[in-house]
Each structure stands twice: as C-alpha cells, then as structure tokens.
Amino acid sequence: PFFQQKPAMYMEPVEAQPLHQASFSQTYDFRMDDGLKSVVMEIWELKDGQWTDFGGGRIGASLQEGQFALSFDLLPKAVTYSVSGASYTYTVNKDFAVDAAPAADNRLYTTMLTQLQEISYETPIPMAIQMVTAKQDPQFIGVDFFHQPEKLASEGHDHVYAVTLTFSQTSME
C-alpha cells in the first residue's frame, strides 16, 4: 500500500460529531510546531472579481496539535467554528445579521476542504466555497478555486462566498 509522508505542519479532515446540526460541518485534526499563537477564520465575498473581507475572528491557540471544526448553513449569515486542544475547546458563533436567503429560483452549491493540507504560517487555507446561483448545472468547483477569483467571477453566479483559516504566529495582544 502507498504511504504518504505527512508534512511537519498539516491539517486533515476527520470523522467527528458536528458542532451543531448545520447543513455543512467538518472537523479537522491539525499538527503544528511550537510557533502557533492564534488561528484566524475569515469569510470572504467575491465582488467584481476580487475577494473582499466579510468578517471573521481570531482565537488564541498555543497548540502543537488539536482540532478545528467549522459549521454553517448559509454564508455569510452565520458560521460556528472552534479550536480544541487537550485541555480546552474555544467555540465562536458568528452571526452577521444579514438577510442572506437566496431567491426562490436560486440553488446553493457548497464545497469544503476534504483532503490533507500542508500548513504554512500566515497563509490562508481555503476551507469552504459556497455559490448562490440560478444556473441549473454550474461548473462545480473545489476549494482551490479560492486562488482563482477571476475564474469564479466569470461563471456569473449571484453570490460566491468563501471561508479561510490562517494559522498565525501573531498572538492575541
């Protein structure tokens, strides 16, 4: 059998109980060196071919290994995320109080990170992309398309949102 060597710092999806009964929920194990000080979750909205910051938050985390969990129904309305270590879990519920319900003729398409991902400090990792579109059969995309906003913009969707996670050496102070 093929054995893939894992990078020194990585995250990968695991089977776990969701944070709550959200439509989209995934838990990830992560392993770091001793430089981690915080984890930053950001929601992005695609406007005019560029990602604009919709909001997010930072959690203090001095862990070498732990879990990150992400749950949501409809971006950008609300998202729940947590960071867990051996001795604690810190959970954040972000409610952006926006009316984000798609029009009746629109469909919702969502993809999440589903494979092992190497981690580099201060580099955003795309965790999820969600499209709201009237297209019957849109070209479905993976989270890597976060790095190609012009491609997503050219598809003509009504709304495109993304969630990124950044492991940081910057502390909360």
Side-chain angles (χ1 to χ4, degrees):
F2 178 73
F3 177 75
Q4 179 183 0
Q5 179 75 25
K6 291 182 181 177
M9 298 192 314
Y10 68 90
M11 64 185 308
E12 64 183 336
V14 296
E15 294 295 324
Q17 293 296 323
L19 260 55
H20 60 79
Q21 296 304 311
S23 298
F24 308 101
S25 186
Q26 181 64 57
T27 300
Y28 303 86
D29 283 338
F30 65 85
R31 182 172 302 273
M32 303 296 297
D33 63 15
D34 61 0
L36 180 65
K37 301 289 186 243
S38 61
V39 177
V40 180
M41 187 281 309
E42 291 290 336
I43 296 177
W44 302 88
E45 182 175 13
L46 189 62
K47 286 187 176 182
D48 300 322
Q50 298 293 318
W51 291 112
T52 59
D53 190 348
F54 195 87
R58 181 182 296 265
I59 295 175
S62 294
L63 301 169
Q64 289 186 323
E65 60 183 53
Q67 286 193 326
F68 173 78
L70 175 67
S71 295
F72 58 89
D73 289 312
L74 181 63
L75 294 173
K77 188 175 174 119
V79 63
T80 300
Y81 61 101
S82 75
V83 174
S84 302
S87 60
Y88 71 90
T89 297
Y90 188 78
T91 301
V92 175
N93 297 301
K94 293 289 277 189
D95 186 348
F96 293 98
V98 296
D99 181 15
D105 60 340
N106 281 359
R107 290 186 159 83
L108 192 66
Y109 295 91
T110 303
T111 185
M112 296 183 78
L113 180 67
T114 59
Q115 60 193 17
L116 181 114
Q117 173 67 49
E118 186 170 7
I119 296 171
S120 297
Y121 285 117
E122 317 311 331
T123 302
I125 299 168
M127 303 299 294
I129 293 180
Q130 188 171 76
M131 300 180 300
V132 179
T133 185
K135 290 187 172 190
Q136 295 296 320
D137 190 20
Q139 180 178 2
F140 201 66
I141 44 88
V143 294
D144 289 339
F145 277 86
F146 177 79
H147 301 293
Q148 300 176 39
E150 67 285 349
K151 170 79 170 135
L152 289 171
S154 72
E155 296 289 321
H157 305 298
D158 294 339
H159 298 283
V160 180
Y161 301 102
V163 178
T164 60
L165 184 68
T166 304
F167 290 83
S168 179
Q169 292 180 303
T170 303
S171 62
M172 294 291 290
E173 292 90 44

